[in-house]
Amino acid sequence: MSNITLSADDALKLSAQFRNASTALGDYLYAPENWPKIPEKDRATLQSLEVTLLNVASDLVTRAVGVIIQDAEQSVADLVAATDHARDVIKTIDNVTRTITVVTAMIGLAAVIPTGDAGAIFAALKNLQSAAKGEQTAKAKKAKT
């Protein structure tokens, strides 16, 4: 296992991923075909999560630069790939509960990155990957029926 130091460029890449996810969530939420179908309480939750993702994106650059992740089982590329994949999943989600699950997992990952705690980062990364995969599996099942 190796150490990972998040450089300014790495933190900026991750920040961009979270900002892009916030935009994808907003696009989903405010799409004319989605807005009327989303229950009001879920709309409020999604709006809050959208703002949280945007705030996390801004905060990530400041807090994560120079963090050393020791004994990391993943690389910055893995983190970027997972957040990129989650953003793509958000763009195509058709279930509000699963949307909330994916976005919450993204926020969980963003929250632990600046700590440098490799175990927590690894767990949060796996949680995000699982949430995104769960959405894809649900969509595949729905498409077959």
Side-chain angles (χ1 to χ4, degrees):
M1 289 188 232
S2 62
N3 293 342
I4 298 172
T5 302
L6 291 181
S7 68
D9 286 343
D10 294 335
L12 189 59
K13 283 178 191 173
L14 287 171
S15 176
Q17 293 295 86
F18 286 97
R19 185 198 159 284
N20 292 340
S22 173
T23 301
L25 181 57
D27 290 347
Y28 165 79
L29 177 62
Y30 297 108
E33 65 274 12
N34 294 336
W35 183 264
K37 294 189 274 185
I38 301 171
E40 193 171 327
K41 72 176 181 74
D42 291 334
R43 273 191 232 143
T45 299
L46 291 172
Q47 288 171 316
S48 176
L49 290 171
E50 177 191 16
V51 170
T52 300
L53 275 174
L54 191 56
N55 289 337
V56 161
S58 297
D59 199 36
L60 197 57
V61 172
T62 305
R63 292 185 16 215
V65 173
V67 167
I68 297 173
I69 304 171
Q70 297 186 2
D71 299 325
E73 294 186 31
Q74 72 281 328
S75 66
V76 172
D78 293 333
L79 297 173
V80 170
T83 54
D84 185 48
H85 178 68
R87 185 205 62 228
D88 290 344
V89 168
I90 289 168
K91 288 180 178 180
T92 62
I93 284 177
D94 62 357
N95 179 291
V96 174
T97 302
R98 290 192 305 262
T99 302
I100 292 169
T101 300
V102 171
V103 174
T104 302
M106 285 193 81
I107 292 168
L109 175 60
V112 297
I113 289 171
T115 69
D117 181 338
I121 293 169
F122 182 73
L125 176 63
K126 291 301 175 194
N127 186 44
L128 176 57
Q129 291 169 330
S130 176
K133 183 178 180 182
E135 171 55 21
Q136 287 183 312
T137 301
K139 287 177 84 171
K141 286 180 182 177
K142 184 177 178 182
K144 287 182 180 180
T145 59

